[in-house]
Amino acid sequence: MLSDNYSNFFNNSLFLSIFVSTVCYWFGLGFKDIKIFGALARITSRFASLSLFVFLSLRWIEYGYFPLSNLYESLLFLSCILLFVYQVLEYKTQSILFGGLVLPIILFIIGFAQLTLPLEMQKASALVPALQSNWLMMHVSLMMLSYAILIIGSAFSIVYVGTSLVLEYFIRTVPERYFDYQEFIRKQLNITRGFGLTREQYLSLSSAFSPEASPEIVGLDAIFKEEEDIAENARRQFLFNLDNWSYRAISLGFPFLTIGIIAGAVWANEAWGSYWSWDPKETWALITWLIFAAYLHLRLIVGWDGKGPAILGSIGFFVVWICYLGVNFLGQGLHSYGWFA
């Protein structure tokens, strides 16, 4: 049997490695020129993935069933899948944005599993008769995999919507950014005290000079416009990447969700004699499926992209968590094994 000392060591080392990795990812996003943060973040997240995989494997070997029998094991399994999926996406895109977005979610899950759940719920127990089936591995693992991928995709939708709103706000309310041309103004206009100019002030000032008299001043306008175009293209590319990553992740997670629901219906018929019982978990699984089906319908059939589908994807983030955790906190229904009563 896995000792309490080993479990405590695992809990502490896992939480610490996830915390360090999260901090390093955030520093890596803030200080892109310092490569050590990204390297350290990847190393600690790889260590967390390996230790979590080994721990779940040992529980599987020790107790003889797939470690998805209670809430604690379910949370750890979801964290393991999130770690694996984000690392694959990060390797494909070579962007540390995935780690900066997904690691805080994993840190919250690990913290909730280890610090909030009572110790009795963290211990493995014998499976109830309804769970003693080969469908346990297929149905629950598919649902966990779909949850993990959909959480990542919908999280990018939230970032997309938030970034779009922030940029729109600043474009509407914040005046043109100030350009500090102290040295240039000193040289061209013989002003001993420098000052900052908005673009409108610069154009008003430069209109008083003819191109022959001061070609440098007139020529700067083209430079300013080029800088603004570069910044605008960078913003558009960033939003496009967020939208594209969200769409691809949701497109991947939705088939797993569909197959998982179908497998659950077959298992329900085997265990309870009915394919669908309108259990709270089943109802919210259907709601989750409809939300992401509507998202893909807007993207694939209607041809929409951008903020409209992203808002729907953002709603899906919270619907997934309600389906996964929220309905089980009520302690009601056929899916409340190993959960709060």
Side-chain angles (χ1 to χ4, degrees):
M1 180 179 295
L2 296 175
S3 66
D4 292 338
N5 291 333
Y6 175 81
S7 297
N8 292 332
F9 173 78
F10 161 77
N11 289 336
N12 294 332
S13 61
L14 178 62
F15 184 84
L16 180 61
S17 60
I18 295 295
F19 176 78
V20 172
S21 182
T22 301
V23 173
C24 289
Y25 268 116
W26 284 356
F27 273 101
L29 290 172
F31 304 95
K32 295 183 179 180
D33 295 333
I34 306 178
K35 303 299 182 181
I36 187 63
F37 289 125
L40 185 59
R42 293 185 181 92
I43 292 173
T44 50
S45 66
R46 302 301 190 272
F47 171 79
S49 301
L50 180 61
S51 61
L52 187 52
F53 177 79
V54 170
F55 182 75
L56 291 175
S57 300
L58 290 176
R59 286 178 75 104
W60 190 357
I61 296 172
E62 177 70 24
Y63 299 106
Y65 58 82
F66 198 59
L68 281 174
S69 63
N70 56 29
L71 176 58
Y72 176 71
E73 292 175 345
S74 174
L75 289 169
L76 293 185
F77 187 74
L78 177 63
S79 300
C80 187
I81 296 178
L82 281 170
L83 282 167
F84 174 76
V85 172
Y86 109 79
Q87 288 170 6
V88 171
L89 296 175
E90 183 181 71
Y91 174 77
K92 292 293 185 180
T93 61
Q94 295 299 311
S95 174
I96 64 173
L97 183 60
F98 285 93
L101 179 64
V102 178
L103 261 297
I105 299 175
I106 300 175
L107 182 65
F108 171 80
I109 296 174
I110 296 297
F112 176 77
Q114 297 178 356
L115 303 178
T116 303
L117 295 183
L119 293 178
E120 289 300 320
M121 292 190 65
Q122 299 182 24
K123 297 180 180 179
S125 58
L127 291 177
V128 297
L131 296 181
Q132 296 176 7
S133 171
N134 293 328
W135 287 101
L136 172 66
M137 180 185 298
M138 180 176 181
H139 168 63
V140 182
S141 61
L142 283 174
M143 294 302 292
M144 290 294 101
L145 179 60
S146 68
Y147 288 162
I149 300 175
L150 292 174
I151 284 172
I152 294 176
S154 55
F156 273 109
S157 290
I158 294 176
V159 175
Y160 178 91
V161 173
T163 305
S164 299
L165 293 176
V166 169
L167 290 177
E168 290 177 2
Y169 171 80
F170 277 100
I171 290 174
R172 289 196 312 267
T173 61
V174 177
E176 291 272 359
R177 63 187 177 93
Y178 280 78
F179 302 96
D180 186 11
Y181 301 118
Q182 293 181 349
E183 295 298 325
F184 176 78
I185 294 300
R186 286 194 188 99
K187 294 178 180 178
Q188 298 298 324
L189 303 180
N190 197 24
I191 296 178
T192 58
R193 185 177 182 181
F195 54 90
L197 294 176
T198 67
R199 189 164 179 270
E200 286 77 7
Q201 291 170 333
Y202 158 74
L203 292 175
S204 175
L205 183 62
S206 63
S207 63
F209 299 85
S210 64
E212 294 78 9
S214 184
E216 294 86 352
I217 296 181
V218 177
L220 275 180
D221 186 45
I223 298 177
F224 300 157
K225 289 182 179 180
E226 183 179 356
E227 291 179 352
E228 292 173 357
D229 290 340
I230 293 174
E232 179 63 23
N233 290 334
R235 289 191 292 266
R236 290 181 179 179
Q237 184 64 40
F238 178 69
L239 290 175
F240 173 80
N241 289 337
L242 290 176
D243 192 35
N244 187 47
W245 290 335
S246 175
Y247 167 63
R248 291 190 176 189
I250 292 176
S251 298
L252 178 62
F254 183 76
F256 289 115
L257 177 65
T258 304
I259 299 173
I261 291 175
I262 294 174
V266 176
W267 186 15
N269 183 64
E270 179 184 289
W272 303 318
S274 174
Y275 288 99
W276 197 267
S277 305
W278 292 107
D279 177 76
K281 191 81 165 183
E282 296 173 348
T283 302
W284 277 96
L286 178 60
I287 294 173
T288 304
W289 188 90
L290 291 174
I291 289 290
F292 289 107
Y295 172 91
L296 293 176
H297 175 78
L298 291 178
R299 293 295 301 248
L300 296 174
I301 306 302
V302 181
W304 285 7
D305 57 9
K307 191 184 299 182
I311 293 176
L312 195 58
S314 302
I315 296 174
F317 179 85
F318 301 99
V319 173
V320 167
W321 283 110
I322 294 174
C323 179
Y324 174 50
L325 292 179
V327 295
N328 293 89
F329 287 150
L330 301 176
Q332 301 174 355
L334 300 171
H335 290 76
S336 57
Y337 305 114
W339 298 68
F340 288 118

